[in-house]
């Protein structure tokens, strides 16, 4: 039995309406119009978005990312291990412990610096020159063979002037001061031409008697000595200031003086010092009563002839 179908009951055919989309999907794609967004063109190795997309992040950026991940991981571990109600207290205790540790380290550093301060830097300084009394001299530079004469009174205190040139400290030239005044003179004759570069003296009797008496305290001490040169040299006299020291005192002659005779004059003396504990046998006379002056040694440094030493 036949069944009649009404055209209104059939489904609507929309294929004609979609023909453009169907035809477009079947047509080949050109190189300038890719089918899928983001797909690179044929033969172009540069990825979409330009060449900057291939650069790796910098070291600072990677470090910040790693630090962020580490902090996040630490926070998650802290949250997993510490209950919610104890998190604030644990955080405060941790910060306090770190602060205490830093304070302790600072205190140790301060105490160590205070106990062991750095040694101050000392600038290098040159060694001071030796005092004049300790000037080194060679025996071969001390001139010998000189003879001396004086105008001292020939009393019991007198001792010959040549004893001041014999290189023996147990002997000395002793002269009585006329009217208790200074000004005693010694005339020196070398007997040849010599060139003097230095004159040195000991301004007292620097010896000890066999009975133990200190001869330094028995005679006045020479504090100032004047040396006069021959007139033909036209040189001013020079002065040796001893200061009363019991030691060598000298004067350097610059330029050296070439001569055969010399005059020495005692310009100033001082009373002798008194021993600390004098005894009845060895007690020195009163300084006001001492009228004699003495000199142990007078030495001339130089060479024979006109040429000064090199």
């Amino acid at each position: 039995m036949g069944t009649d179908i009404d055209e209104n009951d059939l489904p609507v055919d929309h294929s004609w309406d979609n023909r453009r989309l169907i035809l477009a999907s079947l047509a080949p794609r050109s190189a300038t119009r890719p089918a899928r967004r983001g797909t690179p063109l044929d033969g172009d190795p540069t990825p979409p978005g330009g060449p900057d997309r291939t650069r790796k992040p910098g070291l600072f950026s990677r470090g910040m990312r790693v630090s962020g991940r580490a902090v996040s991981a630490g926070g998650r571990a802290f949250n997993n291990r510490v209950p919610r109600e104890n998190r604030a207290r644990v955080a405060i205790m941790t910060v306090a412990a770190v602060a205490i540790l830093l304070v302790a380290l600072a205190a140790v550093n301060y105490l160590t610096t205070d106990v062991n301060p750095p040694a101050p830097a000392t600038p290098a300084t040159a060694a001071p020159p030796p005092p004049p009394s300790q000037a080194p001299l060679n025996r071969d530079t001390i001139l010998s063979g000189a003879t001396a004469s004086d105008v001292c009174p020939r009393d019991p205190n007198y001792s010959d002037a040549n004893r001041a040139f014999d290189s023996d400290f147990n002997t000395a030239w002793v002269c009585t001061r006329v009217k208790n005044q200074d000004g005693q003179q010694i005339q020196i004759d070398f007997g040849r031409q010599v060139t003097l570069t230095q004159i040195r003296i000991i301004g007292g009797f620097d010896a000890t008697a066999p009975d133990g008496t200190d001869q330094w305290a028995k005679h006045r001490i020479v504090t100032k000595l004047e040396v006069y040169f021959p007139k033909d040299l036209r040189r001013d006299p020079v002065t040796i200031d001893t200061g009363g020291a019991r030691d060598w005192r000298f004067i350097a002659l610059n330029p050296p003086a070439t001569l055969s005779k010399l005059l020495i004059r005692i310009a100033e003396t001082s009373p002798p010092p008194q021993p600390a504990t004098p005894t009845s046998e060895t007690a020195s006379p009163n300084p006001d009563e001492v009228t004699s002056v003495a000199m142990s040694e007078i030495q001339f440094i130089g060479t024979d002839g006109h040429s000064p030493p090199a």
Side-chain angles (χ1 to χ4, degrees):
M1 171 172 121
T3 303
D4 294 332
I5 299 175
D6 189 0
E7 291 180 357
N8 295 328
D9 295 335
L10 295 175
V12 180
D13 185 5
H14 297 280
S15 60
W16 180 254
D17 296 334
N18 296 330
R19 65 185 182 278
R20 293 183 179 180
L21 295 176
I22 295 172
L23 292 175
S25 63
L26 295 177
R29 271 38 176 194
S30 63
T32 60
R33 190 176 180 184
R36 184 177 301 174
R37 182 177 298 177
T39 303
L41 301 177
D42 295 341
D44 187 3
T46 304
D52 293 340
R53 293 290 184 89
T54 60
R55 295 182 181 178
K56 295 183 179 180
L59 181 62
F60 178 76
S61 300
R62 285 182 287 173
M64 293 298 294
R65 293 177 184 176
V66 172
S67 300
R69 288 195 294 268
V71 171
S72 300
R76 289 192 298 270
F78 178 80
N79 294 334
N80 294 334
R81 291 178 175 272
V82 180
R84 182 182 299 274
E85 61 274 9
N86 296 334
R87 288 175 185 175
R89 183 176 60 184
V90 172
I92 294 174
M93 294 177 62
T94 302
V95 173
V98 172
I100 293 173
L101 180 61
L102 293 177
V103 172
L105 291 176
V108 170
N109 186 26
Y110 174 78
L111 293 177
T112 304
T113 304
D114 189 35
V115 172
N116 300 316
T122 56
T125 56
S133 62
Q134 300 178 5
L137 293 174
N138 297 325
R139 292 293 301 178
D140 57 358
T141 63
I142 300 176
L143 298 176
S144 60
T147 58
S149 60
D150 58 45
V151 291
C152 299
R154 298 310 195 255
D155 56 13
N157 291 326
Y158 174 75
S159 181
D160 186 65
N162 287 286
R163 295 190 176 183
F165 305 95
D166 58 3
S167 299
D168 185 0
F169 284 89
N170 293 319
T171 62
W173 167 59
V174 181
C175 181
T176 299
R177 301 164 65 243
V178 179
K179 297 181 181 181
N180 289 338
Q181 293 181 358
D182 298 322
Q184 293 70 39
Q185 299 179 2
I186 303 178
Q187 179 75 38
I188 298 102
D189 187 355
F190 294 95
R192 64 196 187 280
Q193 288 287 324
V194 296
T195 300
L196 301 182
T197 58
Q198 186 183 113
I199 302 173
R200 69 176 190 169
I201 68 169
I202 292 182
F205 196 170
D206 188 13
T208 302
D211 62 354
T213 303
D214 187 6
Q215 299 295 323
W216 188 266
K218 293 182 63 176
H219 308 280
R220 293 181 67 87
I221 309 302
V222 177
T223 57
K224 187 176 293 185
L225 194 74
E226 296 176 343
V227 180
Y228 292 85
F229 302 96
K231 293 183 179 180
D232 57 347
L233 295 183
R234 298 180 180 179
R235 295 183 62 143
D236 295 331
V238 296
T239 301
I240 303 177
D241 191 349
T242 70
R246 190 170 182 172
D247 199 354
W248 288 107
R249 288 294 181 265
F250 70 89
I251 184 75
L253 303 181
N254 189 17
T258 301
L259 46 80
S260 61
K261 293 183 179 181
L262 203 63
L263 178 67
I264 292 179
R265 177 180 178 272
I266 295 178
E268 185 179 290
T269 61
S270 64
Q274 294 300 297
T277 55
T279 61
S280 58
E281 293 84 8
T282 61
S284 299
N286 190 328
D288 296 333
E289 300 175 358
V290 177
T291 59
S292 59
V293 61
M295 293 182 64
S296 286
E297 286 297 319
I298 302 175
Q299 290 184 348
F300 300 98
I301 313 303
T303 57
D304 290 333
H306 292 77
S307 300

